[in-house]
Amino acid sequence: MAAVLLLVVALVALGSGRGDAFDPNPLQDFCVADTSSKVRVNGVSCKDPAAVVPGDFFFAGVDKPGGTVSKHYAFSALPVQIPGLNTLGQSHVRVDVPPGGVFPPHYHPRASETAVVLEGSVYFGFLASYPDNRLFDKVLRKGDVFAVPQGLVHFLYNNGTEPAVLYATLSSQNPGLVLLADTLFAGALPDDLLAKTLRSGNDNHIVEIIRRKFGRP
Amino acid sequence: MAAVLLLVVALVALGSGRGDAFDPNPLQDFCVADTSSKVRVNGVSCKDPAAVVPGDFFFAGVDKPGGTVSKHYAFSALPVQIPGLNTLGQSHVRVDVPPGGVFPPHYHPRASETAVVLEGSVYFGFLASYPDNRLFDKVLRKGDVFAVPQGLVHFLYNNGTEPAVLYATLSSQNPGLVLLADTLFAGALPDDLLAKTLRSGNDNHIVEIIRRKFGRP
Amino acid sequence: MAAVLLLVVALVALGSGRGDAFDPNPLQDFCVADTSSKVRVNGVSCKDPAAVVPGDFFFAGVDKPGGTVSKHYAFSALPVQIPGLNTLGQSHVRVDVPPGGVFPPHYHPRASETAVVLEGSVYFGFLASYPDNRLFDKVLRKGDVFAVPQGLVHFLYNNGTEPAVLYATLSSQNPGLVLLADTLFAGALPDDLLAKTLRSGNDNHIVEIIRRKFGRP
Amino acid sequence: MAAVLLLVVALVALGSGRGDAFDPNPLQDFCVADTSSKVRVNGVSCKDPAAVVPGDFFFAGVDKPGGTVSKHYAFSALPVQIPGLNTLGQSHVRVDVPPGGVFPPHYHPRASETAVVLEGSVYFGFLASYPDNRLFDKVLRKGDVFAVPQGLVHFLYNNGTEPAVLYATLSSQNPGLVLLADTLFAGALPDDLLAKTLRSGNDNHIVEIIRRKFGRP
Amino acid sequence: MAAVLLLVVALVALGSGRGDAFDPNPLQDFCVADTSSKVRVNGVSCKDPAAVVPGDFFFAGVDKPGGTVSKHYAFSALPVQIPGLNTLGQSHVRVDVPPGGVFPPHYHPRASETAVVLEGSVYFGFLASYPDNRLFDKVLRKGDVFAVPQGLVHFLYNNGTEPAVLYATLSSQNPGLVLLADTLFAGALPDDLLAKTLRSGNDNHIVEIIRRKFGRP
Amino acid sequence: MAAVLLLVVALVALGSGRGDAFDPNPLQDFCVADTSSKVRVNGVSCKDPAAVVPGDFFFAGVDKPGGTVSKHYAFSALPVQIPGLNTLGQSHVRVDVPPGGVFPPHYHPRASETAVVLEGSVYFGFLASYPDNRLFDKVLRKGDVFAVPQGLVHFLYNNGTEPAVLYATLSSQNPGLVLLADTLFAGALPDDLLAKTLRSGNDNHIVEIIRRKFGRP
């Protein structure tokens, strides 16, 4: 089990869930992820059905913060690691955001998302795609739920004074996670492409300033 | 029973779906359910995108019990009614179960389910289909999560001393709900079919005893 | 071939077919089920296309009753075992019901169903999900066809004087089968949960009476 | 040909689909085809659920030949017209073929097919796609079933002395039908394209001979 | 890489692409086809994600004619061979047709198609399914695009004086290819079935004439 | 920005979708987008099949640059507007990029993409999702093709001296478009959230500098 845990932690780490609301339909009662298998397919191959146990559908610890704390954004994300969710089209994650913390703009390439606030309050929103670009936002309080369409950019910001806790559900067993600023500034994109992207022509100055904040030399 | 009925009627009336992890993919950013439309299609038709507002993706009140209390089983169910979830492949419900209460065996014909315990403790389980029929069960405590494959029978029983609260997520915008005992005993099935189903041959005696408990004359 | 047969019989036994009307699309001409493979995936892995023969798409014997007779309900079910139906989104079963016999209320978690009466006459019906619960029923005679939506409870009862024969088609290669009464009474559900489910509070009396009929001590 | 035309027109007029094993999943218990609706969508719009009756899931007459007899091929096809199959991913047809009759090579662009022989005997086969092109064929007798993968060309030929009756199931509510020879020779393809297709260069002689048999001047 | 190439060439040869617009959704960022794997599933199993390189998403040579020239129809087809397209729901092919050449009537059992003319001009069309049978055709010139619905018969004919070049995109990673005339006349269909299909009763004369052109004795 | 806006508005106004490789399957031969319909569904409703003409599947002009030039990035994008692609799971766009121009990092929330270079040369790449973040990039020359998995960030940069022309195919009729830098800096995101996103704490200085370049006061 520790192996599964590590694997999944490696996979999803801070804030990536698993699951996709639009995954292919299941073709049997269950296809519990076989993490020891060497077979690689779309999704994950299944363990022997005869060896499946209740623990394959179980995860504990969502009542407390977990996972690792993001160094730069202060939030933490605890993915709900359930091997039995393989082929079942959903995944979940607990997110903790301290006062002043943000879960910066990001999206899930293979899922829609819904989040319920369990504690505290957050400013939450998503943006429509081009050329609409409208912002749909709300201050969410305990007991509020907000939905994000598939693949759209969303964010949350704890601009209150209490720690905030959310439970997010995603419509894929492996929704994926893309953080916009990290992708632009921490990754391998060339400086000159980035300068042009920031509408700075051939002037890399701003790019360098920001990239230093993202740990790039 | 009437209570839950009202809840669900309210849900349907509001045009909010209830979620299905395997719904057809969306073909636009959002297709917010247009509850005033007379057009009937697979799913729900959309309101004018220009008229969509943040409130279309929002629901409040999951922090408190809601909906109506089931007369016979004591649980209450509060569906998360979000018109914006139309085409997004998920839905959610808060369930409250007092000590001694059950959410009796049931299934969702169009969804898998995952439930997280927010308060208290419940005995939770699902059953594999024929001819496996294995029971996969656990006593769930606060912070525990359990998953149920698409269409399989599951139940929960608060055999503790504290009220239990769960937040359930389903992999369809409209998973549907079938309660096994209600379907057999409260519904329109003929007595003689039911007697045979209960392996009582042509003896309707037991059927009559049970049906009286289900309000049938 | 005998091996395949046994495997499938074990899998589907009385009345479960294989196939799902909403299975993922095929990605090649055919992916004939390789029953000797140790690889476990969503569905079944494929045998070498070069080794595929006409017999992989063939099944004989639907003109006669087959499979095993249900001890308690008198019906028999003969699944159409065709390895080539893997990835093709359908499965079929012949059902024989003698006069007085029932195929008790059940559902398929992953398929819709359509049945045609080949001989005799049956009372056939399905029930809508909660809170509609309407019964849609008909007396079907030779040459009549009736359709059952995905995942809804249905049943058939030969209340005539002639043996009845049906040919049922399901919209999945592995629809699954759940028998309501067996699930409630023959399986591993705890007695106290069941007593509450039957609205008998803490009185296990009725549960015990019924369970004895289902072979439970 | 006109006969089959009428059949299918009747089918379409009645709003019954014909089945596709890979249709989008349903998002409600049922979406019975509303044949009076002016709304045109992918599939068919639904009638008011409150007005749905058992007859919406019912069809009678599969025990006798029906539809109209194909003038050129002698077979007749009786589509099972069930408005309730809209969104349910399957359809069915009874096919009668007299001795010497053929259902010439054809395919369904949106479905796999399985056929069971109810009476008589037929030579049945399908062909793999390019460049495999293998023929998978069998002489089918009463009680035999044969499966055809999605979109592949298949045919049947009653080369026996008894009338043959088959019941075919397709994995879409509207699989579509394309007859190869009719498409090539009876339709609107230009003669010169056709001559080249028949590897006759610019010699239209053969094309003209065949087209005369297909009623083309 | 040569192995992949050969494999795919064998698979798709003249004009079959890979890809399907309606393939099951991906469950991870990428599942690059592992052509050395012995595992056979719906689609292709994946190579180790850690070993994936940019070249897995790359193909060169679409700027020139390629593949093999069809002996009988003069066109050539160059499939775009990209292992990374596994699970991504599309494939592509360059087609060259000299003046007077045709790509004879054919269809893709698992995909829709769109073709853009890069050079020259062609007469292009598709035919609706039975009983509509309408021809939708156009003379396409450089820069024109034409779409073909899933599974429908289409063709192209270079009746101009310049070589024509098209780039076709298909909505499946493995759409399949069926050539109508080849299927009827070059394949394994029995002569007598074919004579009846050509409405020639028991007269095999025409069948023999055509089949000789297709290399059949 | 306004330029691209106009392009896309034109596209949407014309009712042409833009393609998604994983759209729901079609349920009829064609469902040509009816741009005059007031009915709003997932996708677009269909025009009367009897009124469909060849022009519904046709688009001209891909041989020349088109649409409007992006003011800030110099590229232009010409969407292939074909009403008949509704329900067919694909869309296409011609992209022109002058020397020094970029199509800045962006993604499609509902599609994979493949691009072929028709003229010139570009530096092209995509980034894996978190926490992999690997860059998969290539310098593409005329005749090269590169594939981008569903929903992943990609970009192109003409760092050569010749104008570059690409033809991109997407696996949805309406893939959607999200530009990362525009979303972050030109849109409605609050400054303080953005400052934190850029790891600048409560210092809005950098945000203001960049936003001025994006036309924000």
Side-chain angles (χ1 to χ4, degrees):
Chain A
M1 196 61 194
V4 183
L5 237 144
L6 286 173
L7 187 89
V8 177
V9 167
L11 207 68
V12 301
L14 288 179
S16 161
R18 290 166 299 155
D20 200 323
F22 307 100
D23 296 355
N25 282 0
L27 293 167
Q28 56 288 309
D29 276 5
F30 40 72
C31 168
V32 173
D34 177 2
T35 55
S36 68
S37 171
K38 295 273 191 274
V39 173
R40 292 186 198 92
V41 293
N42 191 24
V44 187
S45 65
C46 329
K47 66 186 279 192
D48 181 355
V52 169
V53 293
D56 288 324
F57 300 93
F58 177 75
F59 182 77
V62 171
D63 56 328
K64 299 191 191 68
T68 319
V69 179
S70 162
K71 183 177 167 189
H72 299 289
Y73 299 111
F75 74 87
S76 66
L78 176 66
V80 174
Q81 297 160 8
I82 296 182
L85 280 179
N86 188 42
T87 74
L88 297 189
Q90 50 175 304
S91 58
H92 314 84
V93 63
R94 174 189 164 123
V95 177
D96 286 77
V97 193
V102 301
F103 198 133
H106 66 282
Y107 70 95
H108 306 287
R110 293 179 295 275
S112 66
E113 175 176 333
T114 306
V116 58
V117 177
L118 300 181
E119 299 291 341
S121 171
V122 293
Y123 171 63
F124 191 106
F126 74 83
L127 291 137
S129 73
Y130 182 87
D132 183 337
N133 295 336
R134 264 181 297 169
L135 173 64
F136 294 86
D137 59 350
K138 276 274 184 189
V139 174
L140 304 182
R141 296 189 174 78
K142 186 173 176 174
D144 290 353
V145 185
F146 207 75
V148 180
Q150 179 180 330
L152 296 191
V153 172
H154 54 288
F155 59 85
L156 60 88
Y157 180 13
N158 185 347
N159 50 11
T161 56
E162 304 292 323
V165 184
L166 294 97
Y167 184 74
T169 68
L170 297 124
S171 66
S172 169
Q173 71 178 62
N174 184 9
L177 169 67
V178 177
L179 296 151
L180 271 70
D182 275 73
T183 298
L184 287 176
F185 301 118
L189 290 183
D191 279 3
D192 52 352
L193 171 74
L194 206 42
K196 285 176 182 281
T197 296
L198 294 185
R199 303 184 184 174
S200 303
N202 297 319
D203 178 2
N204 288 5
H205 187 59
I206 300 240
V207 169
E208 284 161 11
I209 292 175
I210 304 179
R211 286 202 138 171
R212 272 198 292 274
K213 295 180 185 291
F214 281 79
R216 294 279 305 262
Chain B
M1 199 65 186
V4 183
L5 216 145
L6 284 174
L7 267 181
V8 178
V9 166
L11 171 72
V12 171
L14 283 173
S16 159
R18 276 172 301 157
D20 200 323
F22 307 99
D23 296 354
N25 282 359
L27 293 168
Q28 56 287 310
D29 276 5
F30 39 73
C31 167
V32 173
D34 177 2
T35 55
S36 69
S37 172
K38 296 270 189 276
V39 173
R40 293 186 198 92
V41 293
N42 191 24
V44 187
S45 65
C46 329
K47 66 187 278 194
D48 181 355
V52 169
V53 294
D56 288 324
F57 300 94
F58 177 75
F59 182 77
V62 170
D63 55 329
K64 298 191 190 70
T68 321
V69 180
S70 161
K71 182 176 166 190
H72 300 289
Y73 298 112
F75 74 88
S76 66
L78 176 65
V80 174
Q81 298 162 8
I82 296 182
L85 280 178
N86 188 42
T87 74
L88 297 189
Q90 51 175 302
S91 58
H92 314 83
V93 62
R94 173 190 165 122
V95 176
D96 285 79
V97 194
V102 301
F103 199 133
H106 66 283
Y107 70 94
H108 307 286
R110 293 178 297 274
S112 67
E113 176 177 332
T114 307
V116 58
V117 178
L118 300 181
E119 298 293 339
S121 171
V122 293
Y123 171 63
F124 190 107
F126 74 83
L127 292 137
S129 73
Y130 182 87
D132 182 338
N133 296 334
R134 262 181 299 169
L135 173 64
F136 294 86
D137 59 350
K138 275 274 183 189
V139 174
L140 304 182
R141 296 188 175 77
K142 188 174 175 174
D144 290 354
V145 185
F146 207 75
V148 180
Q150 179 180 327
L152 296 191
V153 173
H154 54 290
F155 58 85
L156 61 87
Y157 180 13
N158 184 348
N159 52 9
T161 57
E162 304 293 323
V165 184
L166 294 98
Y167 184 74
T169 69
L170 297 124
S171 66
S172 170
Q173 71 178 61
N174 185 9
L177 169 67
V178 177
L179 296 151
L180 272 68
D182 275 73
T183 298
L184 287 176
F185 302 117
L189 291 183
D191 278 4
D192 53 353
L193 170 74
L194 207 40
K196 284 175 183 282
T197 295
L198 294 186
R199 302 183 184 173
S200 303
N202 298 318
D203 178 2
N204 288 3
H205 186 61
I206 300 250
V207 170
E208 284 162 12
I209 291 174
I210 304 179
R211 286 202 137 172
R212 272 198 291 274
K213 294 179 186 291
F214 281 79
R216 293 282 304 262
Chain C
M1 197 59 194
V4 183
L5 237 144
L6 285 174
L7 187 89
V8 178
V9 166
L11 207 69
V12 301
L14 290 180
S16 161
R18 292 166 299 154
D20 200 325
F22 306 100
D23 296 355
N25 282 0
L27 293 167
Q28 56 287 311
D29 276 5
F30 40 72
C31 167
V32 173
D34 178 2
T35 54
S36 68
S37 171
K38 296 273 190 274
V39 173
R40 292 187 199 91
V41 294
N42 192 25
V44 186
S45 65
C46 330
K47 66 186 279 192
D48 181 355
V52 169
V53 293
D56 288 324
F57 300 94
F58 177 74
F59 182 77
V62 171
D63 55 329
K64 298 191 192 69
T68 319
V69 179
S70 162
K71 182 177 166 190
H72 300 289
Y73 299 111
F75 75 87
S76 66
L78 175 67
V80 174
Q81 297 160 8
I82 297 182
L85 279 178
N86 188 42
T87 75
L88 297 189
Q90 50 175 303
S91 58
H92 314 83
V93 63
R94 173 189 165 123
V95 176
D96 285 78
V97 193
V102 301
F103 199 133
H106 65 283
Y107 70 95
H108 307 286
R110 293 179 295 277
S112 67
E113 176 177 332
T114 305
V116 57
V117 177
L118 300 181
E119 297 293 339
S121 171
V122 292
Y123 171 63
F124 190 106
F126 73 83
L127 292 136
S129 73
Y130 182 86
D132 183 338
N133 294 337
R134 262 180 298 168
L135 173 64
F136 294 86
D137 59 350
K138 276 274 184 188
V139 174
L140 304 182
R141 295 188 176 78
K142 186 172 177 174
D144 290 353
V145 185
F146 207 75
V148 180
Q150 179 180 330
L152 297 191
V153 172
H154 53 288
F155 59 85
L156 62 87
Y157 180 13
N158 184 348
N159 51 11
T161 56
E162 305 292 323
V165 183
L166 294 96
Y167 185 74
T169 68
L170 297 123
S171 65
S172 169
Q173 71 177 63
N174 184 9
L177 170 66
V178 178
L179 296 152
L180 271 70
D182 275 72
T183 298
L184 287 175
F185 302 117
L189 291 184
D191 279 3
D192 52 353
L193 171 74
L194 207 41
K196 284 176 183 281
T197 295
L198 294 185
R199 302 184 184 173
S200 302
N202 297 319
D203 178 1
N204 287 5
H205 186 62
I206 301 241
V207 169
E208 283 162 11
I209 292 175
I210 304 179
R211 286 201 137 171
R212 271 197 293 274
K213 295 178 185 293
F214 281 80
R216 293 280 305 261
Chain D
M1 200 62 188
V4 184
L5 217 146
L6 284 173
L7 266 182
V8 179
V9 167
L11 171 71
V12 172
L14 283 172
S16 159
R18 275 172 304 156
D20 200 325
F22 308 99
D23 296 354
N25 282 1
L27 294 167
Q28 55 288 309
D29 276 6
F30 39 73
C31 168
V32 173
D34 177 3
T35 54
S36 69
S37 172
K38 296 273 191 275
V39 173
R40 292 187 199 91
V41 294
N42 192 24
V44 187
S45 65
C46 329
K47 65 187 277 193
D48 182 356
V52 170
V53 294
D56 288 323
F57 300 94
F58 177 76
F59 182 78
V62 171
D63 54 329
K64 297 190 192 70
T68 321
V69 179
S70 161
K71 182 177 166 189
H72 299 290
Y73 299 111
F75 75 87
S76 66
L78 175 66
V80 174
Q81 298 163 8
I82 297 182
L85 279 178
N86 188 41
T87 75
L88 298 190
Q90 51 175 300
S91 59
H92 314 83
V93 62
R94 173 189 167 123
V95 176
D96 286 78
V97 193
V102 300
F103 200 133
H106 65 283
Y107 70 94
H108 308 287
R110 294 179 295 275
S112 67
E113 175 176 333
T114 306
V116 57
V117 178
L118 300 181
E119 298 293 340
S121 170
V122 292
Y123 171 63
F124 190 107
F126 74 82
L127 291 136
S129 73
Y130 182 88
D132 182 338
N133 296 336
R134 262 181 299 169
L135 173 64
F136 294 86
D137 59 348
K138 276 272 184 190
V139 173
L140 304 183
R141 296 189 175 77
K142 187 173 177 176
D144 290 353
V145 186
F146 207 75
V148 180
Q150 179 180 331
L152 296 190
V153 172
H154 53 288
F155 58 86
L156 62 87
Y157 181 12
N158 184 347
N159 51 11
T161 56
E162 304 293 322
V165 183
L166 295 97
Y167 185 74
T169 69
L170 297 124
S171 66
S172 168
Q173 70 177 61
N174 185 8
L177 169 67
V178 177
L179 296 151
L180 271 69
D182 275 73
T183 297
L184 287 175
F185 302 116
L189 291 183
D191 278 3
D192 53 353
L193 171 73
L194 207 41
K196 285 176 182 280
T197 295
L198 293 186
R199 303 185 184 173
S200 303
N202 297 319
D203 178 1
N204 287 4
H205 186 62
I206 300 249
V207 169
E208 284 162 11
I209 293 174
I210 304 179
R211 286 202 137 171
R212 271 198 293 274
K213 295 179 184 292
F214 282 79
R216 293 281 305 261
Chain E
M1 198 60 194
V4 183
L5 240 144
L6 285 174
L7 186 89
V8 177
V9 166
L11 207 67
V12 302
L14 288 178
S16 161
R18 290 168 301 156
D20 200 325
F22 307 98
D23 296 355
N25 282 0
L27 294 166
Q28 55 287 309
D29 276 5
F30 40 73
C31 167
V32 173
D34 178 3
T35 55
S36 68
S37 172
K38 295 273 190 275
V39 173
R40 293 186 198 92
V41 293
N42 191 25
V44 187
S45 65
C46 329
K47 66 186 279 193
D48 182 355
V52 169
V53 293
D56 288 324
F57 300 93
F58 177 75
F59 182 78
V62 171
D63 55 328
K64 297 191 192 71
T68 319
V69 179
S70 162
K71 182 177 166 191
H72 300 289
Y73 298 111
F75 74 87
S76 66
L78 176 67
V80 174
Q81 298 161 8
I82 297 182
L85 279 178
N86 188 42
T87 76
L88 297 189
Q90 50 175 302
S91 58
H92 313 83
V93 63
R94 174 190 165 122
V95 176
D96 286 78
V97 193
V102 301
F103 199 133
H106 65 283
Y107 70 94
H108 307 287
R110 293 178 296 276
S112 67
E113 175 175 334
T114 306
V116 58
V117 177
L118 300 181
E119 298 293 338
S121 171
V122 292
Y123 171 63
F124 190 106
F126 73 83
L127 292 137
S129 74
Y130 182 86
D132 182 337
N133 295 335
R134 263 181 297 168
L135 173 64
F136 295 86
D137 58 350
K138 276 273 183 189
V139 173
L140 305 183
R141 296 189 174 77
K142 186 173 177 175
D144 291 352
V145 185
F146 207 75
V148 180
Q150 179 180 331
L152 296 191
V153 172
H154 53 288
F155 59 86
L156 62 88
Y157 179 13
N158 184 347
N159 50 12
T161 56
E162 303 293 322
V165 183
L166 294 97
Y167 184 74
T169 68
L170 296 124
S171 65
S172 169
Q173 71 178 62
N174 185 9
L177 169 67
V178 177
L179 296 151
L180 272 69
D182 276 72
T183 298
L184 287 176
F185 303 116
L189 291 183
D191 278 3
D192 53 353
L193 171 74
L194 206 41
K196 286 176 182 282
T197 295
L198 294 185
R199 302 183 183 173
S200 303
N202 297 319
D203 177 2
N204 287 5
H205 185 62
I206 299 247
V207 170
E208 284 162 12
I209 292 175
I210 304 179
R211 287 201 137 172
R212 272 198 292 272
K213 295 179 185 292
F214 282 79
R216 293 280 304 262
Chain F
M1 196 66 185
V4 184
L5 217 145
L6 283 173
L7 265 183
V8 179
V9 166
L11 172 72
V12 171
L14 283 172
S16 160
R18 276 172 301 156
D20 201 323
F22 308 98
D23 296 353
N25 282 1
L27 294 167
Q28 55 288 308
D29 276 4
F30 39 73
C31 168
V32 173
D34 177 2
T35 55
S36 69
S37 171
K38 296 273 188 274
V39 173
R40 293 186 198 91
V41 293
N42 191 25
V44 186
S45 64
C46 329
K47 65 186 278 193
D48 182 355
V52 169
V53 293
D56 289 324
F57 300 94
F58 178 74
F59 182 79
V62 170
D63 55 328
K64 299 192 190 67
T68 322
V69 180
S70 161
K71 182 176 165 190
H72 299 289
Y73 299 112
F75 74 87
S76 66
L78 176 66
V80 173
Q81 298 162 9
I82 296 181
L85 280 178
N86 188 44
T87 75
L88 298 189
Q90 51 175 302
S91 58
H92 315 83
V93 62
R94 174 190 164 122
V95 177
D96 285 79
V97 193
V102 301
F103 200 133
H106 66 283
Y107 71 95
H108 307 287
R110 293 178 296 275
S112 66
E113 176 177 333
T114 306
V116 58
V117 177
L118 301 181
E119 297 293 340
S121 171
V122 293
Y123 170 64
F124 190 106
F126 73 84
L127 292 136
S129 73
Y130 181 87
D132 182 337
N133 296 336
R134 263 180 298 170
L135 174 64
F136 294 86
D137 58 349
K138 276 273 184 190
V139 174
L140 305 182
R141 295 188 176 77
K142 188 173 176 175
D144 290 354
V145 186
F146 208 74
V148 179
Q150 180 180 329
L152 296 191
V153 173
H154 53 289
F155 58 85
L156 61 87
Y157 180 12
N158 184 347
N159 52 9
T161 56
E162 303 293 323
V165 183
L166 295 96
Y167 185 73
T169 68
L170 297 124
S171 66
S172 168
Q173 70 178 61
N174 185 9
L177 169 67
V178 177
L179 296 151
L180 271 69
D182 275 74
T183 298
L184 287 175
F185 302 117
L189 291 182
D191 279 3
D192 53 353
L193 171 73
L194 207 41
K196 285 175 182 283
T197 296
L198 294 185
R199 302 183 184 174
S200 302
N202 297 318
D203 178 0
N204 288 5
H205 186 61
I206 301 250
V207 169
E208 284 161 12
I209 291 175
I210 304 179
R211 285 203 138 171
R212 272 199 291 273
K213 294 179 184 293
F214 281 79
R216 293 281 304 260

